[in-house]
Amino acid sequence: MKHGRIIWQGAEQAVTQAADGRVQLADGRLLNEDEVNWLPPFVPGTVFALGLNYADHAKELAFKAPEMPLVFLKGPDTIAPHRAETVRPADATYMHYECELAVVIGKQGRNVSRDEAWGLVRGYSVANDYAIRDYLENYYRPNLRVKNRDGCTPVGPWLVDRDDISDPMRLQLRTRINGELKQQGSTADMIFDIPALIAYLSSFMTLNPGDVILTGTPEGLADVQPGDVIETEIEGIGCLTNTIIPERTSCTSNT
């Protein structure tokens, strides 16, 4: 099942996706997705993000694939919902999307083995982890200004139950700018797969319900400009849409 969270008539509502693709309220009423204000489909705990976790992406950036997971943390205010507006800083010369499979943890775990790892997963969502390339000092040490700007990591629209995705390691990822396909890849090309990431992270810290792992992006990055509509889509999970706007006073995300 696909679960979501929205604001409808001034109140937060838990919703699901109906068979025809519309938003279904708990009382059965159906709404079009542009009739509601979206929230991220889960309340995020610790947000782990992977760098260079696709071999083709590492090659695209002229870097050797890492021998251990390259992980950094993101603050909660980076997360934005479906149909949000994301700010491009005024001084940026290259800001790019990153279509990523988000793995949401549903059960506490520490020192979890690969074989046990799937039992910690609650489900999956789509994330778009924007990066401002100008601020990057070192791909192995993504700094705060690159990856922790408010509202610059849209997630959603849906959280899909773990058991509804038969093989999360064989999903197609696509990104479109204004309807034009720019990025295409497969989760099969991850360097470190989901069980490996859960085993690695839980080897030195406790994973808790609501924690989310952003598993990296394949090759095919492109600059985005104010006015661009970006669609990041993952097979079987959904299509996350947001719009780039110019900087005014600060980097914010509006629904």
Side-chain angles (χ1 to χ4, degrees):
M1 182 176 289
K2 293 185 177 181
H3 308 272
R5 296 165 61 236
I6 64 169
I7 299 294
W8 171 246
Q9 296 183 338
E12 181 178 330
Q13 305 269 356
V15 297
T16 56
Q17 187 182 51
D20 63 2
R22 286 188 289 174
V23 177
Q24 185 166 3
L25 299 173
D27 63 9
R29 284 180 295 169
L30 297 175
L31 303 169
N32 294 321
E33 72 163 55
D34 58 0
E35 293 183 81
V36 305
N37 291 323
W38 289 86
L39 297 170
F42 54 90
V43 178
T46 302
V47 181
F48 304 92
L50 269 291
L52 303 179
N53 197 33
Y54 283 74
D56 56 1
H57 179 48
K59 183 178 179 181
E60 176 182 34
L61 300 175
F63 274 87
K64 180 183 176 182
E67 296 179 1
M68 294 181 63
L70 170 60
V71 187
F72 54 95
L73 301 181
K74 300 175 69 68
D77 288 337
T78 62
I79 303 300
H82 179 52
R83 301 179 70 88
E85 294 176 336
T86 296
V87 171
R88 178 185 170 109
D91 62 347
T93 62
Y94 191 12
M95 174 177 171
H96 61 76
Y97 50 78
E98 294 186 3
C99 180
E100 306 199 19
L101 176 66
V103 179
V104 182
I105 300 299
K107 180 181 177 182
Q108 189 179 81
R110 179 77 159 84
N111 291 320
V112 178
S113 70
R114 280 188 58 95
D115 290 341
E116 299 169 322
W118 293 115
L120 262 66
V121 175
R122 176 186 174 191
Y124 309 98
S125 192
V126 182
N128 183 356
D129 189 12
Y130 284 104
I132 293 87
R133 188 78 64 87
D134 307 62
Y135 305 156
L136 190 62
E137 297 169 358
N138 185 319
Y139 277 107
Y140 288 90
R141 294 174 57 198
N143 66 37
L144 289 174
R145 289 203 304 161
V146 177
K147 287 292 189 177
N148 273 279
R149 303 183 71 85
D150 287 352
C152 290
T153 307
V155 176
W158 304 107
L159 172 63
V160 181
D161 291 336
R162 176 194 63 199
D163 293 341
D164 288 341
I165 301 296
S166 60
D167 188 352
M169 296 311 307
R170 293 188 179 277
L171 300 176
Q172 291 296 309
L173 300 85
R174 300 179 183 88
T175 300
R176 294 179 292 273
I177 301 178
N178 303 323
E180 182 180 353
L181 182 65
K182 293 290 187 178
Q183 182 184 39
Q184 186 165 7
S186 170
T187 58
D189 296 327
M190 285 186 198
I191 297 170
F192 303 102
D193 64 11
I194 293 168
L197 294 173
I198 290 174
Y200 173 73
L201 292 169
S202 71
S203 71
F204 56 84
M205 63 185 297
T206 300
L207 297 179
N208 289 294
D211 290 349
V212 57
I213 304 171
L214 307 183
T215 54
T217 196
E219 68 176 342
L221 305 181
D223 190 28
V224 295
Q225 295 290 332
D228 285 344
V229 176
I230 314 301
E231 298 171 289
T232 45
E233 182 176 16
I234 300 180
E235 175 186 5
I237 298 177
C239 182
L240 170 67
T241 302
N242 84 301
T243 303
I244 306 300
I245 63 172
E247 184 174 33
R248 297 184 180 92
T249 58
S250 62
C251 184
T252 59
S253 176
N254 303 311
T255 57

